[in-house]
Amino acid sequence: MANPLEQLMACTTVVADTGDIDSIIRLKPVDATTNPSLILKAANTPQYAALINQALAPIKQRPTAEQLPAALEAVSVAFGAEILKHIPGVISTEVDARYSFDIAATLAQARRVIAQYRALGVGRERVLVKIASTWEGICAARLLEQEGICCNLTLLFSFAQAQAAAEANATLISPFVGRILDWYAAKTGETYTPTTDPGVCSVKAIYDYYKAVGHETIVMGASFRNTGEIRALAGCDKLTIGPALLDALALESEALFAQLSAEQVNPRPRLAALTEAQFRWQLNNDAMATEKLAEGIRLFAADLEKLEIVLLAKLAH
């Protein structure tokens, strides 16, 4: 009999949320996602020293002022390209969180990332560029999608972000289940079940709306805190899950069944497209989404700065 992880894989595309290549080889997911925090963790692991040194070797020939930003991109792409050797699907590679409010900088880095993958023999069809779901990030994603560069709009906490992302024709969104739960648990002191979990409810609402109105943007639940959240979202287009929870799910004895299904969603009218003012107002009125988006950007930026210190030391040798 299939274990719950195998049952999940039968109804949802499972995506590994890790930069650890050994875990990806062992778990055999379809896709994988990375972010600055995961790359930082991997960069501090001795087993990946050779991969990083190889990525940095050509960077050392550049003028000093150009080395650090180029190193960040080169290492992220190196990890992504290595991961792609072990999965059949796509890799998500994140643009610099410090560009979250800069359309031009986001566009430029996304194009550089795709070009670097191409130089390593990886086609753009196997890469999703991860961009924070700010208004500027969504605008950048709209332009990139028109160029044939697929985008993963991440740090997504609200329906307004999801609506705007779909209207920008983003390939995929990553609503953060666990971080939504964290906020509500801290504010209310309540204990939530998988069916009342605010993060789960948020993803279900987005999924149902997308399917009801025919949006093609993929919904990929992310940032899980427990296997109950995963079970409650079984059947979602994709779920990106860390190795620890994938392992935990595989060891559970209770059978897993799909909870979400496009066939069970009733059609409904599509909402009028959001203007920038409407988007900002709706986001502003959602305290959880406003706070968690800002916090997420800050945390990713902080980990980028830590990664810069690691890479600077390696560039000096």
Side-chain angles (χ1 to χ4, degrees), residues 111-126:
R111 292 163 182 155
R112 289 196 302 272
V113 165
I114 292 299
Q116 289 181 51
Y117 270 111
R118 184 171 61 245
L120 295 177
V122 177
R124 65 175 59 190
E125 71 280 358
R126 297 202 67 196

Side-chain angles (χ1 to χ4, degrees), residues 133 138 153 156 160-170 172-173 210 217:
S133 298
I138 293 168
L153 283 167
L156 192 145
Q161 290 172 294
Q163 182 185 342
E167 289 164 0
N169 296 313
L172 181 147
I173 61 167
Y210 276 18
T217 297

